[in-house]
Amino acid sequence: MRLLYVFLLILAVRLASVFVVQTYYVPDEYWQSLEVAHKLTFGYGYLTWEWVQGIRSYVYPLLIAGLYKILALLQLDSAHLLVVLPRILQALLSAYSDYRFFVWTGKRKWALFLILVPWFWFYTGSRTLANTLEASLTTIALSYFPWYGESTAYLWPAAICCFLRPTAAVIWLPLSLYHLRKSRQNALELILKRFVLVGLLVAGLGIAIDTYWHGQLIVTPYEFLKYNIFNNIGSFYGSHPWHWYFSVGLPTVLGINTLPFIFGVMETVRKSEKYPVSKQLLITIFLTLVVLSAVEHKEFRFVSSLLPLCLYVITDALSRWSIRASNTMLWTTALVILVGNVMPAWYLSTVHQKGPIELMPKLRDIAREYKDEREHQANILFLMPCHSTPYYSHIHQNVTMRFLTCEPNLEKKEQYKDEADRFFEDPMHWINSHIPMHPLTALPTHVVLFDPLAENISVFLRSYRLLHRIEHAENRQSRTGRSILVYQRLKKGEENAFNRGPDPGQHEPDVHDHPPLEDLVLANENENLFN
């Protein structure tokens, strides 16, 4: 029964994260999973260039699409359930992987504590990210790895992981070599009857699924490597110095746990014969960081799969240290680790970049209820850095929406700039070139943007009134800001003194005619002041 209680505790924490974590992290959480599943199930939505070029596998989105289909058949496909249930599904998988971590580490108290408190895992463990799925599968595979036996059960989750995220092979190559070296079975027989067989079965099924849904024979892991590694497309989205994962990436993901991890590294290096598993994990961690460092584009989530390996090293070291440590030292250490994780977890899960998540229910209401003069539905324009918000998966209404795209330079054109870059270079020029100004009804009914942009396109916004201001983040940057603003187009006969100059007929309105943003009056949502 004790194991049942442990699992229920882990499950409670993971399910809690579904409802506590209400902030925006990275676009892939939605655009590479929920948006794809929504289009598969309901027939409308948007597929990014990765799906057009075939570098993504449909396996993960299909799991979510299956959930959506069940909801649709039961006529329970509300936007709220479409958002929450996939996260619950991922939380269940993360909870099982956490439980397997506890079993793998010998059911030690430190293991349970350390898998529950990491801020990054609480922040991402219920997000519908391929990286979260990868981290869960990695943990499950590690728990079945033959550290002291001859089991090959780990090959199944490891193979799935490598098919979905080819970079996961960087972790499993050194571990597989370690398995072959320590196994008492014939190496060639083990490779042919286990490694190759499992790999072919998983790859065959994955290729069949992707070929069907992509509409042509395709090997998505190869396409992934071709674009992201061989053609270095990832650098289009940002580059970092080679040492970033060592100096910033992994230390940030670990947070306060970096300190006990360093302690674990020192103990493992000093007494390697007492830490055989930790020794092999450290070799794997180091090799993985070296390989990933060779790729220009780097992100925190790309090392999330290393988190369970690091936590094992910490668990191993602290469990041995605890034998000789005093109760005061034990409780002090645990308290420091707990507080050091709770604070960033709370801030990043509830405060930082909460705007896009709070925005979507408001847009959902607009999409469902709004009608213009011609009784047409809403037409929403996002003038934001591309993929700054979720999309149809959170609105679940087949209304017209448009955002600034940011496809990489796939055709290798000289001096290439994506649409978002061209817009932010000269917003009014882009608007005049792409948005019809006459008649008034040709304009988008709603415009969504970050607050720094409002003053730069104030001439365009004279035809709109400010409907919502949503707090987003503390820092104001060139393309993002402290708030997200939602503007609604004025209908025929409406007047808005805050968006119009005193005598617009005398001169062409200038940007500086627009009053300071803080002077704009928000529409009272409880009263209809404009109709």
Side-chain angles (χ1 to χ4, degrees):
M1 286 296 290
R2 180 172 176 269
L3 288 178
L4 176 60
Y5 293 147
V6 168
F7 178 74
L8 290 177
L9 173 62
I10 293 171
L11 181 61
V13 173
R14 292 294 157 243
L15 289 178
S17 73
V18 173
F19 302 97
V20 173
V21 179
Q22 295 296 319
T23 52
Y24 190 88
Y25 176 34
V26 290
D28 282 12
E29 178 180 355
Y30 314 103
W31 294 83
Q32 306 299 341
S33 55
L34 300 187
E35 299 302 332
V36 181
H38 191 278
K39 185 171 179 61
L40 288 177
T41 308
F42 301 105
Y44 65 94
Y46 188 94
L47 296 180
T48 61
W49 71 270
E50 292 96 333
W51 299 92
V52 176
Q53 300 298 324
I55 74 170
R56 301 288 186 183
S57 174
Y58 273 100
V59 173
Y60 189 38
L62 276 176
L63 296 177
I64 300 172
L67 189 62
Y68 283 178
K69 191 64 177 180
I70 293 172
L71 291 174
L73 291 173
L74 296 175
Q75 297 185 341
L76 296 174
D77 55 315
S78 67
H80 177 70
L81 289 181
L82 295 182
V83 172
V84 171
L85 288 187
R87 293 195 60 192
I88 291 177
L89 179 65
Q90 180 57 58
L92 292 174
L93 180 60
S94 296
Y96 177 69
S97 72
D98 293 346
Y99 171 76
R100 289 305 307 174
F101 177 85
F102 176 71
V103 172
W104 168 38
T105 52
K107 305 172 186 176
R108 291 181 278 194
K109 293 179 181 178
W110 274 113
L112 179 60
F113 176 74
L114 288 169
I115 199 63
L116 289 179
V117 301
W119 76 268
F120 189 78
W121 191 229
F122 184 85
Y123 180 62
T124 62
S126 63
R127 294 184 184 273
T128 50
L129 277 166
N131 307 95
T132 302
L133 176 64
E134 178 189 3
S136 298
L137 290 173
T138 299
T139 305
I140 294 169
L142 287 169
S143 72
Y144 287 108
F145 191 83
W147 300 105
Y148 302 104
E150 294 288 348
S151 173
T152 57
Y154 79 95
L155 290 173
W156 293 100
I160 296 171
C161 194
C162 291
F163 184 86
L164 298 180
R165 295 285 299 176
T167 50
V170 180
I171 292 177
W172 289 107
L173 182 59
L175 288 174
S176 297
L177 292 175
Y178 172 75
H179 176 200
L180 291 172
R181 190 177 73 249
K182 70 175 284 295
S183 175
R184 285 175 289 187
Q185 299 183 49
N186 180 273
L188 183 60
E189 185 176 338
L190 189 59
I191 291 173
L192 294 176
K193 291 186 177 181
R194 293 292 184 271
F195 285 67
V196 174
L197 180 61
V198 171
L200 288 177
L201 289 174
V202 170
L205 181 60
I207 291 172
I209 291 173
D210 289 335
T211 296
Y212 178 81
W213 289 102
H214 279 289
Q216 59 180 333
L217 179 62
I218 194 166
V219 182
T220 53
Y222 169 75
E223 299 296 328
F224 178 92
L225 292 173
K226 182 178 74 173
Y227 281 93
N228 287 295
I229 306 300
F230 305 146
N231 295 336
N232 196 25
I233 288 294
S235 62
F236 179 80
Y237 297 106
S239 300
H240 297 81
W242 68 266
H243 58 78
W244 188 84
Y245 281 124
F246 291 95
S247 59
V248 179
L250 187 60
T252 300
V253 169
L254 290 175
I256 192 69
N257 294 332
T258 301
L259 299 177
F261 178 67
I262 293 173
F263 172 71
V265 171
M266 294 172 61
E267 287 291 289
T268 303
V269 172
R270 286 172 51 206
K271 309 169 185 176
S272 60
E273 70 283 353
K274 294 183 178 180
Y275 298 91
V277 175
S278 291
K279 176 184 175 181
Q280 183 58 38
L281 292 177
L282 284 179
I283 293 172
T284 303
I285 292 169
F286 177 75
L287 291 175
T288 302
L289 292 178
V290 168
V291 174
L292 292 179
S293 295
V295 182
E296 287 187 44
H297 181 60
K298 301 174 176 66
E299 294 187 38
F300 295 115
R301 60 193 174 101
F302 293 167
V303 292
S304 57
S305 291
L306 293 179
L307 186 59
L309 286 75
C310 296
L311 293 179
Y312 185 99
V313 173
I314 299 172
T315 299
D316 209 6
L318 290 184
S319 296
R320 296 173 189 267
W321 167 79
S322 299
I323 298 173
R324 61 182 184 275
S326 66
N327 285 336
T328 302
M329 285 297 297
L330 285 172
W331 284 103
T332 301
T333 301
L335 184 61
V336 170
I337 292 175
L338 177 63
V339 174
N341 280 287
V342 167
M343 292 180 67
W346 168 81
Y347 172 74
L348 292 169
S349 299
T350 63
V351 178
H352 184 62
Q353 294 189 164
K354 64 180 181 178
I357 307 304
E358 295 185 2
L359 165 71
M360 300 317 289
K362 299 182 185 301
L363 295 185
R364 187 186 309 153
D365 292 341
I366 290 171
R368 185 175 60 247
E369 300 171 2
Y370 179 86
K371 293 290 189 297
D372 68 5
E373 302 92 327
R374 299 171 296 175
E375 291 298 308
H376 291 172
Q377 288 184 293
N379 180 341
I380 304 172
L381 173 64
F382 294 81
L383 295 179
M384 314 168 83
C386 72
H387 309 140
S388 290
T389 69
Y391 215 46
Y392 282 103
S393 65
H394 282 53
I395 292 180
H396 195 42
Q397 294 286 327
N398 193 8
V399 297
T400 300
M401 297 199 294
R402 167 87 153 83
F403 68 96
L404 303 172
T405 59
C406 55
E407 284 86 359
N409 189 9
L410 299 174
E411 299 178 3
K412 298 182 180 180
K413 298 179 180 178
E414 293 185 5
Q415 299 181 333
Y416 174 80
K417 293 180 182 178
D418 63 46
E419 185 178 41
D421 285 341
R422 295 197 304 272
F423 170 81
F424 282 104
E425 279 187 353
D426 191 341
M428 283 307 303
H429 174 74
W430 186 93
I431 288 173
N432 291 331
S433 302
H434 293 79
I435 306 299
M437 295 298 179
H438 301 287
L440 186 65
T441 53
L443 291 171
T445 62
H446 296 81
V447 180
V448 185
L449 49 90
F450 285 107
D451 54 337
L453 180 63
E455 293 183 10
N456 294 334
I457 61 170
S458 60
V459 173
F460 172 64
L461 294 177
R462 289 173 187 266
S463 300
Y464 293 82
R465 63 181 175 94
L466 185 60
L467 190 65
H468 299 294
R469 182 201 297 271
I470 302 160
E471 295 301 315
H472 173 62
E474 296 70 40
N475 299 323
R476 179 171 175 171
Q477 301 177 7
S478 60
R479 296 191 181 185
T480 61
R482 296 188 180 95
S483 302
I484 295 175
L485 308 179
V486 180
Y487 284 85
Q488 180 169 295
R489 177 172 58 77
L490 298 172
K491 293 183 179 180
K492 185 178 180 180
E494 287 183 332
E495 296 292 333
N496 189 334
F498 300 101
N499 282 355
R500 297 185 183 278
D503 190 359
Q506 291 185 0
H507 67 282
E508 183 68 18
D510 186 76
V511 170
H512 301 290
D513 292 339
H514 195 283
L517 189 61
E518 56 268 20
D519 292 341
L520 293 173
V521 178
L522 280 171
N524 188 330
E525 297 182 24
N526 298 320
E527 299 181 33
N528 195 343
L529 300 180
F530 295 91
N531 294 307

